[in-house]
Amino acid sequence: MKERFLVFIPAYNCEKQLPRVLDQLLDKQVAAFVTECIVVNNRSTDGTESAVRTWMTAHPDAPVRLLRNDCNYGLGGSHKVAFGYAVANGFDYLVVLHGDDQGDIRDLLPLLRRGDHRRYDCCLGSRFMKQSRIRGYSALRIVGNHGFNLLFSAVAGRRITDLGSGLNLYAVPPLRSGYYLRFPDTLYFNDCMILALCQLRQKLLFFPISWREEDQVSNNKLTSFGMSLLGLCGQYLKNKKEFVTREWREHPVDDYTYTVIASNL
């Protein structure tokens, strides 16, 4: 039976970049493995939704659905919407491809050809491996990322080469337990996920990617982001089991609901 891949594109105020991201799905090699793509709009205030609908109209054969979160759930909350969607609809794998057009889904192709995805619970794109290619990223951010990668590696007891590049692949069966639902709905969701994956002893692979920063706008503020990461590491060292089961959200959500705005399927 053919494996079913869901591509999840989280989107917030990226109307300029999203059509370029969706264009990646038109590559014949990419289209050959993608079963469906969902763009999850987290209540954007620009023309993100219009840009997606225009693209979908121009490419009616592309298996794309546009979803809108019923509330502003944050980046982490959008992940929870997509994880739940993948589980509910029987997908085998979920690909996360951020809507700001910094990553390239074609970097997954060598991994898929080798069948590496079948041997791991999670495959995380890394900007900082020897074979990776990175463009337009400031030296300060590169140094800062290397520092936190080393810190997380020491805390987790295994080598971590990137805390969140925007191109990841998850096997869906491990997501069925919903262990991630209490993690932050903020930008720190991925950082919690990495530590949780290590604590849960899931099989984790980092793979090299190409990555660029051109017309994107970062939502991260280095100082506050760094302090939050230090706090996460402290909580993990304090009690690793409780780290996975505790409530991280300031405002818990019972159900991450959404509305289907448009569909080519």
Side-chain angles (χ1 to χ4, degrees), residues 36-41 48-57 60 62-68 85 258-265:
E36 182 179 337
C37 171
I38 56 171
V39 179
V40 180
N41 175 27
T48 289
E49 229 169 69
S50 177
V52 175
R53 297 187 73 161
T54 297
W55 189 94
M56 291 174 65
T57 299
V64 177
R65 275 196 174 101
L66 171 61
L67 314 183
R68 180 197 298 152
Y85 187 98
Y258 60 86
T259 300
V260 178
I261 302 302
S263 176
N264 278 356
L265 295 163

Side-chain angles (χ1 to χ4, degrees), residues 17-65:
Q17 297 84 16
L18 255 176
R20 303 199 305 255
V21 177
L22 289 167
D23 281 346
Q24 295 182 31
L25 303 178
L26 302 178
D27 183 290
K28 290 183 179 179
Q29 296 180 87
V30 174
F33 81 85
V34 174
T35 308
E36 182 179 337
C37 171
I38 56 171
V39 179
V40 180
N41 175 27
N42 189 45
R43 316 295 297 187
S44 295
T45 58
D46 67 353
T48 289
E49 229 169 69
S50 177
V52 175
R53 297 187 73 161
T54 297
W55 189 94
M56 291 174 65
T57 299
H59 302 92
D61 294 330
V64 177
R65 275 196 174 101

Side-chain angles (χ1 to χ4, degrees), residues 132-161:
S132 301
R133 301 173 302 281
I134 187 169
R135 187 175 78 223
Y137 209 40
S138 72
L140 177 61
R141 288 182 178 272
I142 292 174
V143 170
N145 273 275
H146 278 296
F148 278 107
N149 291 340
L150 289 172
L151 174 63
F152 269 64
S153 297
V155 169
R158 63 154 299 154
R159 189 175 180 225
I160 306 295
T161 63

Side-chain angles (χ1 to χ4, degrees), residues 163-178:
L163 297 180
S165 66
L167 178 62
N168 298 323
L169 183 150
Y170 294 92
V172 172
L175 301 174
R176 291 173 184 158
S177 68

